Amino acid sequence: MNIVVAIKHIPSIADDLPVKGNNVDFDSVDFVLNEFDEQSIEQAVLVKEAVGGTVTVVGVDVIGELDNVLHLALAKGADKAVKITGDDPAADSHQQAKWLAEAIKGLSPNIVFAGVQASNDLDGQIGPMIAAYLDMPYIGGVSSVEVSDHTATVNKEFAGGFGAKYSVSLPMVVGVQAASKPPRYAPISKVRQVAQMATIEKVAPSGGVSSGLSFKKMAPPVVTGHAEMIGGSSKEVAAKIVELLKSKGLA
Amino acid sequence: MLTTIEKIVFVALALVSAGFTVHGFKLIIDSIRKGRPAPELKNVPASLLNAGVKVLFQQTIFKARKALSAIHMGLFFGLITYAFVNLFDVLEGLVPGFDLVYGGAHIPNAPTGLINAFNLIADVMSMFLLVAITVFLIRRFIVKDKALDYRENILLNPKVKAGGQQIDSLIVGAFVIMHVIAHLMSQSYRLTNGAYPFMPIASFLNSIFGTSETGVHVAWWISIGWVMFIIPYLSRSKHTHFFMAPVTLGLAKQNPRGQLDPAIPLKVIEGQKFDPGAKFIHDLSWKRALDAYACVQCNRCQDVCPMNFAEGAPLSPSALEVNKRYLLKEATFGSHPDRLLLPLTETVISAEAVWSCTTCHACVSICPVGNEPMADIVDIRRRMIVDGAELDSGVQNALQSLATNGNWMSKGKRLRGRWAKEMEFPVKNATEEPVEHLWFVGDTASFDERVIPNTKMVARIFQQGGLDFGIMYQNESNAGNDVRRVGEEGLFEQLVEQNMQAFGKAQFKQIVTTDPHSFNTLKNEYPQFGGKFEVKHYTMTLLKLFEEGKLTVKNKLSNYKVTFHDPCYLGRYNGGFTAPRKLLEMLGVEFVEMPRNCENSFCCGAGGGQIWMGKVAPGERPAENRIKEALTTFGESTNEKTQLFIVTCPKDMVMYSDAVKTTGNEGKIEVRDIIQLVAEAVGVEEPVVAEAVAA
Ligand code: SF4
Ligand code: SF4
């Protein structure tokens, strides 16, 4: 089984996002692995552990620091790592999806995993776009995957606690919401060992595309409201609320 | 005294007994030597001698249970006396004419005074031994002292569960009683000339039972026969501690308490490759096996373990040692060498227990024989981490964040110095300009909103005291103390490297830290990685500022009644008991000491990674118990003073503030960092910031 995981290296939102011009100030922000990609790496390794095969992790090296992430993936059980030397922190989802798809094509995958979304891809475009380029079916919002022969059985989550089970014949692209088990911890000693031994395959980006969109302005959101905690007994709290509503002319 | 035939039988039996004894101890030593190399010890003869002296005066047992310890001391002296008594009994049996009764009247030029004195001591000691042993047997079998039991949820070797220890105690107890009585009788039967004032008890018995040649022989055989049986037996029972305790004490750790032994032995042995930490018993260092043999099974360590105390946690450091002991015993003397190949988490301590230790060091500090149950626990964690064991989700998140962000709170690196940027004066960046004091702030004090006001206050007081200080802003990473104790050695090393790089960029004379955990590892473990710095806890720096007159108390705080909690990593680990107490004295508060203080301080339950745990054991938590202790110490409040619980660790601020709420004691006691009191006394206030008004 040829299992491929497409990952994204994205600006960390643990910090306040610094803005420069009309984009993020990429020089003064840390980059991290998209958290949904952590889930999809885990899901890929779980599938490999169940049915055998190899897991190849592919990502665009947007700031030249992807190696750390790839080493972590290898320490968690991936077998091969490929980085696309995109070297452009501003590369958008359309561009990254194209580069990823071109690189993945050559790997002739049976199944491709991608994080269902990312903090800079909240509408989750990457997975479906890769699927389109590869001409494979796509299911997103997936919370578990089982593979047997040429079929994958996936659970997809819907709003309101509903879920559905699909059987899909392979190859396909899966947008992972959560792996069927929480991602494992890779001990740093192992990550470091991998970092010394592993070879990471480099691929030049191929195929330029444009989303057709351009930034007009980027700014931190303006804080408009605020929350106030009202203390006291429930009666006092209720009285306060009524008073507030009245003062705003709402009651 | 003995007939020739008796002599032959005696020598034969003595040889058999000696054979079994030597064999027993050889097996024990072999099984100990299977362990991994331990850190090198310096000057072993001197420390063995030192241990011998400690044992002779029974110093180490008086750390707790004072009354029982006194009896134990008597028992110990009694047994030492009896070693001589037995020696002389044997000599009397074998050497014709050698006879110590009546001051050795038949021996030419005998030192009569000395012999009389010895006879008196032996006679009185016999009585005392009988009493002492009876007390211990009553304690175990009639009163059934709870302290000798293990809670239901604690993993126990089946033999221990079935009462193996009890049987041991009973056999040895019965031995002492029979042996002493037999010896007394043999003495009393020999008194041919009536009462002998230096043997009051034997004389009394003689007045009842009279003199008897046959009696002497029978009693002698019972008395000495028992000894020949019991000595080889001791090597196979828990009472090996008679011999092993002094050895363990003599070979006890020489490195600082706060420095963990390496995960992989430093000593290179050709052809041997070690994995970090321990999965099986012989993955532990040989000293940890020795611990098992030295363990008295007194359960003092269990008594002080904060997590044993927390009902839900299945942790008992003594059960760990006892299980190790039975595991080794079953392999060496019994039929279960195969059990040595079972993971320690199945044979000596459950995985859940492994993960509930706070690494507070209480068990190690209290142990009268110098055992280190905590070291086993850390080693087991180390291997579990390397083997990819499933971790508590909270611990995993913390480690993950530490690996990527350098802090456990999933905060961006750049946010570390944010509090400093909000200050009313600039706080120097020590990686950009030279400072005298490099302030290592630590994660909780840098990021936790509940603690930041105190952090800022420390900065103001340092400023007020004219201290030239700076912080490392985003260059600081978590110091790694708790990471190491959770067993993530690789991550610890990574954090050390990151900090060492940052220190390399900075120019400073000494490090001051607000966090006892950072204090411990910076002081005791960084030197092994080339980081030899002078490290101070902020209480020490503050005290110095006062002593040098750079800070002065303007307002005496006599309106407060306070008690102080010693943080494990400042107090028990590093002896930092005095600075905080002296500070409190200067501030003029009314100070009361909780019963568990200084060396015996009770852990708040946060250390060793516990603060990261997503899942906590049910039942009363250590911090809650501690708050109750403080309130009991304050007693019924007779005055109008505000009652304060003073802490000097950011984690304590969080733990105890929570505990005050969960125990419903708000209003009765308030948790404050010592810096808050210092600020009030010195007259430094928070600047008034105009609050944003609701639109
Ligand atoms: S270190 Fe503390 S928590 Fe851990 S076993 Fe010892 S006493 Fe218990
Ligand atoms: S480890 Fe030490 S304190 Fe604990 S039971 Fe054994 S001898 Fe007693």
Side-chain angles (χ1 to χ4, degrees):
Chain A
M1 173 88 28
N2 244 349
I3 306 161
V4 172
V5 190
I7 61 166
K8 265 187 102 185
H9 208 200
I10 59 170
S12 163
I13 51 168
D15 286 327
D16 297 340
L17 269 186
V19 173
K20 195 166 139 193
N22 52 16
N23 207 334
V24 172
D25 179 4
F26 294 110
D27 289 332
S28 46
V29 67
D30 291 322
F31 271 68
V32 292
L33 176 65
N34 170 26
E35 59 174 309
F36 291 98
D37 294 346
E38 278 175 40
Q39 302 287 339
S40 71
I41 291 171
E42 180 64 31
Q43 188 60 67
V45 174
L46 288 173
V47 167
K48 176 187 95 168
E49 283 169 354
V51 299
T54 51
V55 173
T56 309
V57 180
V58 192
V60 181
D61 194 5
V62 285
I63 53 156
E65 290 175 12
L66 193 69
D67 284 11
N68 295 336
V69 171
L70 293 173
H71 291 149
L72 187 68
L74 290 169
K76 288 189 177 198
D79 305 282
K80 267 169 60 187
V82 179
K83 68 174 174 192
I84 303 163
T85 50
D87 214 13
D88 173 12
D92 61 21
S93 302
H94 285 251
Q95 181 60 73
Q96 291 206 30
K98 176 70 181 163
W99 285 342
L100 284 164
E102 288 302 320
I104 292 170
K105 243 180 219 165
L107 300 167
S108 40
N110 301 100
I111 185 164
V112 178
F113 291 98
V116 69
Q117 55 174 205
S119 56
N120 64 357
D121 178 21
L122 282 182
D123 38 3
Q125 299 179 340
I126 288 241
M129 284 194 287
I130 292 175
Y133 285 128
L134 297 178
D135 200 16
M136 290 181 189
Y138 173 84
I139 295 187
V142 167
S143 60
S144 82
V145 179
E146 268 172 51
V147 171
S148 67
D149 295 330
H150 300 293
T151 320
T153 313
V154 302
N155 272 319
K156 180 179 164 72
E157 289 193 355
F158 290 97
F162 288 98
K165 203 178 237 176
Y166 294 85
S167 266
V168 189
S169 42
L170 299 178
M172 74 175 295
V173 178
V174 185
V176 179
Q177 170 100 21
S180 35
K181 268 169 115 187
R184 65 198 69 193
Y185 178 73
I188 299 298
S189 55
K190 194 163 170 197
V191 179
R192 292 185 150 197
Q193 216 176 341
V194 166
Q196 277 171 8
M197 323 241 294
T199 44
I200 291 171
E201 196 184 320
K202 277 198 224 169
V203 188
S206 94
V209 290
S210 152
S211 64
L213 301 171
S214 62
F215 287 100
K216 259 201 160 155
K217 181 171 180 254
M218 183 178 272
V222 181
V223 184
T224 48
H226 89 241
E228 188 190 333
M229 302 302 285
I230 303 174
S233 70
S234 46
K235 270 202 175 149
E236 288 162 6
V237 174
K240 267 257 179 70
I241 292 177
V242 171
E243 195 180 303
L244 262 172
L245 291 175
K246 275 189 183 155
S247 74
K248 308 249 169 197
L250 293 168
Chain B
M1 176 199 90
L2 295 183
T3 63
T4 316
I5 296 193
E6 277 179 317
K7 280 185 190 167
I8 293 171
V9 174
F10 170 77
V11 172
L13 282 178
L15 285 176
V16 173
S17 166
F20 272 111
T21 309
V22 171
H23 178 67
F25 279 98
K26 189 181 165 303
L27 289 179
I28 290 181
I29 291 168
D30 285 349
S31 80
I32 292 173
R33 287 172 56 125
K34 284 203 192 107
R36 291 181 171 191
E40 299 248 349
L41 296 173
K42 292 191 202 93
N43 215 346
V44 173
S47 51
L48 278 172
L49 193 70
N50 190 352
V53 174
K54 275 192 194 152
V55 171
L56 200 59
F57 294 103
Q58 300 273 289
Q59 276 170 7
T60 57
I61 61 170
F62 282 95
K63 291 187 269 194
R65 301 187 187 161
K66 302 270 187 295
L68 282 172
S69 299
I71 303 179
H72 184 276
M73 186 169 182
L75 197 62
F76 171 78
F77 286 135
L79 291 176
I80 297 264
T81 315
Y82 254 70
F84 289 99
V85 165
N86 285 321
L87 179 70
F88 292 131
D89 277 359
V90 169
L91 287 176
E92 284 177 343
L94 296 181
V95 183
F98 185 85
D99 193 349
L100 296 186
V101 279
Y102 301 115
H106 310 298
I107 308 171
N109 305 324
T112 318
L114 211 62
I115 294 178
N116 281 338
F118 175 74
N119 281 340
L120 181 63
I121 294 175
D123 200 68
V124 174
M125 266 305 174
S126 304
M127 205 55 218
F128 180 81
L129 272 179
L130 290 179
V131 174
I133 280 290
T134 317
V135 168
F136 280 132
L137 288 178
I138 290 180
R139 166 167 182 249
R140 188 177 275 279
F141 293 101
I142 299 180
V143 181
K144 300 208 163 110
D145 190 339
K146 271 248 166 52
L148 297 174
D149 272 349
Y150 304 98
R151 250 205 332 267
E152 273 300 310
N153 57 354
I154 289 166
L155 176 74
L156 276 189
N157 179 292
K159 285 243 174 73
V160 181
K161 227 177 198 158
Q165 292 170 293
Q166 262 90 327
I167 296 169
D168 251 10
S169 300
L170 197 61
I171 292 180
V172 174
F175 154 73
V176 175
I177 291 178
M178 307 262 285
H179 174 62
V180 170
I181 292 180
H183 169 77
L184 276 175
M185 287 310 293
S186 84
Q187 298 298 67
S188 95
Y189 282 134
R190 288 157 67 181
L191 294 178
T192 44
N193 300 351
Y196 166 37
F198 294 98
M199 286 188 178
I201 294 162
S203 299
F204 170 72
L205 291 172
N206 180 263
S207 72
I208 301 173
F209 299 102
T211 307
S212 155
E213 177 66 25
T214 328
V216 173
H217 281 254
V218 172
W220 189 94
W221 273 108
I222 295 178
S223 160
I224 298 298
W226 255 120
V227 174
M228 289 191 288
F229 162 75
I230 209 77
I231 290 190
Y233 173 78
L234 287 186
S235 66
R236 289 145 173 88
S237 85
K238 80 166 196 160
H239 297 82
T240 325
H241 85 260
F242 292 168
F243 311 101
M244 292 306 198
V247 180
T248 319
L249 263 183
L251 302 180
K253 176 169 181 157
Q254 295 177 340
N255 291 330
R257 280 182 179 181
Q259 185 190 102
L260 283 180
D261 289 350
I264 297 174
L266 295 178
K267 193 169 162 188
V268 186
I269 296 180
E270 217 166 304
Q272 226 168 333
K273 203 182 146 285
F274 295 113
D275 285 327
K279 181 168 189 183
F280 308 108
I281 191 144
H282 291 311
D283 290 335
L284 294 167
S285 91
W286 61 268
K287 289 220 330 223
R288 302 289 76 86
L290 180 60
D291 284 355
Y293 287 105
C295 179
V296 189
Q297 310 184 3
C298 64
N299 282 11
R300 287 164 191 244
C301 51
Q302 174 175 287
D303 274 0
V304 295
C305 174
M307 289 322 243
N308 179 267
F309 165 84
E311 288 283 320
L315 174 62
S316 158
S318 50
L320 163 72
E321 294 296 353
V322 174
N323 288 335
K324 254 160 65 187
R325 177 55 194 285
Y326 273 80
L327 183 67
L328 287 169
K329 186 168 130 175
E330 282 164 8
T332 7
F333 297 108
S335 49
H336 286 296
D338 50 312
R339 294 218 180 119
L340 295 181
L341 299 176
L342 292 174
L344 291 165
T345 45
E346 283 168 31
T347 49
V348 311
I349 178 170
S350 69
E352 205 185 334
V354 165
W355 290 110
S356 44
C357 171
T358 69
T359 68
C360 71
H361 204 272
C363 54
V364 185
S365 295
I366 198 89
C367 178
V369 302
N371 284 352
E372 296 182 50
M374 189 191 93
D376 300 34
I377 295 178
V378 173
D379 264 336
I380 297 173
R381 289 179 174 181
R382 284 167 164 169
R383 179 66 69 84
M384 287 174 94
I385 296 240
V386 176
D387 284 351
E390 207 169 302
L391 300 177
D392 171 272
S393 62
V395 171
Q396 179 163 337
N397 287 342
L399 294 178
Q400 211 98 55
S401 167
L402 283 156
T404 37
N405 307 312
N407 65 70
W408 58 269
M409 306 174 107
S410 299
K411 302 274 184 176
K413 284 189 186 128
R414 272 167 253 268
L415 294 181
R416 189 178 279 274
R418 175 185 270 187
W419 67 266
K421 293 186 182 140
E422 295 164 0
M423 295 292 298
E424 58 279 12
F425 53 86
V427 175
K428 283 188 189 171
N429 185 336
T431 58
E432 285 167 4
E433 52 184 318
V435 293
E436 215 161 288
H437 292 78
L438 186 152
W439 177 8
F440 197 95
V441 188
D443 289 1
T444 311
S446 299
F447 296 110
D448 193 313
E449 294 297 337
R450 293 167 292 182
V451 182
I452 284 177
N454 294 340
T455 312
K456 290 181 173 170
M457 199 45 95
V458 173
R460 286 186 198 108
I461 300 288
F462 281 175
Q463 180 85 351
Q464 170 91 1
L467 200 77
D468 177 25
F469 74 97
I471 64 173
M472 297 201 293
Y473 288 88
Q474 70 266 35
N475 292 301
E476 182 185 304
S477 300
N478 181 294
N481 191 69
D482 299 339
V483 172
R484 191 170 206 203
R485 279 145 189 87
V486 149
E488 203 350 347
E489 194 72 9
L491 180 55
F492 170 67
E493 283 167 18
Q494 178 175 313
L495 292 168
V496 174
E497 275 167 34
Q498 288 167 4
N499 278 318
M500 288 300 291
Q501 264 174 21
F503 290 143
K505 284 194 236 166
Q507 275 183 54
F508 58 95
K509 292 216 179 92
Q510 59 170 254
I511 296 177
V512 53
T513 172
T514 24
D515 171 31
H517 298 246
S518 306
F519 174 66
N520 181 66
T521 189
L522 288 171
K523 180 166 181 260
N524 297 312
E525 297 184 317
Y526 274 52
Q528 292 176 301
F529 297 84
K532 298 197 170 92
F533 312 112
E534 195 178 337
V535 190
K536 293 272 188 290
H537 186 246
Y538 71 123
T539 50
M540 302 166 185
T541 309
L542 288 174
L543 183 63
K544 198 155 165 257
L545 289 176
F546 276 110
E547 285 173 348
E548 288 171 351
K550 293 181 178 153
L551 287 176
T552 43
V553 175
K554 293 210 186 95
N555 324 306
K556 286 262 177 196
L557 306 178
S558 49
N559 51 326
Y560 293 138
K561 187 172 180 182
V562 314
T563 191
F564 172 69
H565 166 74
D566 290 278
C568 303
Y569 279 97
L570 175 64
R572 190 157 40 237
Y573 271 101
N574 290 298
F577 305 125
T578 44
R581 287 181 172 75
K582 273 199 182 161
L583 278 174
L584 289 172
E585 196 186 313
M586 277 179 186
L587 304 182
V589 296
E590 183 189 342
F591 179 75
V592 282
E593 195 76 86
M594 284 184 278
R596 292 177 291 189
N597 61 63
C598 297
E599 187 77 11
N600 292 323
S601 178
F602 192 64
C603 176
C604 75
Q610 292 304 312
I611 203 168
W612 302 331
M613 286 281 166
K615 215 176 107 201
V616 271
E620 192 181 32
R621 286 176 301 146
E624 296 172 337
N625 181 265
R626 188 67 160 161
I627 290 295
K628 289 183 188 160
E629 179 182 5
L631 281 169
T632 321
T633 309
F634 285 139
E636 286 305 312
S637 190
T638 47
N639 51 28
E640 296 295 285
K641 290 185 180 180
T642 313
Q643 302 188 137
L644 301 181
F645 187 94
I646 300 303
V647 298
T648 53
C649 167
K651 287 193 180 77
D652 280 338
M653 195 67 208
V654 177
M655 294 300 285
Y656 288 118
S657 304
D658 280 353
V660 167
K661 284 189 205 130
T662 50
T663 51
N665 282 308
E666 286 158 300
K668 285 191 211 143
I669 188 167
E670 216 181 288
V671 181
R672 291 211 197 151
D673 192 291
I674 202 165
I675 200 67
Q676 295 174 273
L677 294 196
V678 170
E680 200 178 330
V682 171
V684 171
E685 281 172 18
E686 265 180 57
V688 188
V689 188
E691 290 275 329
V693 185

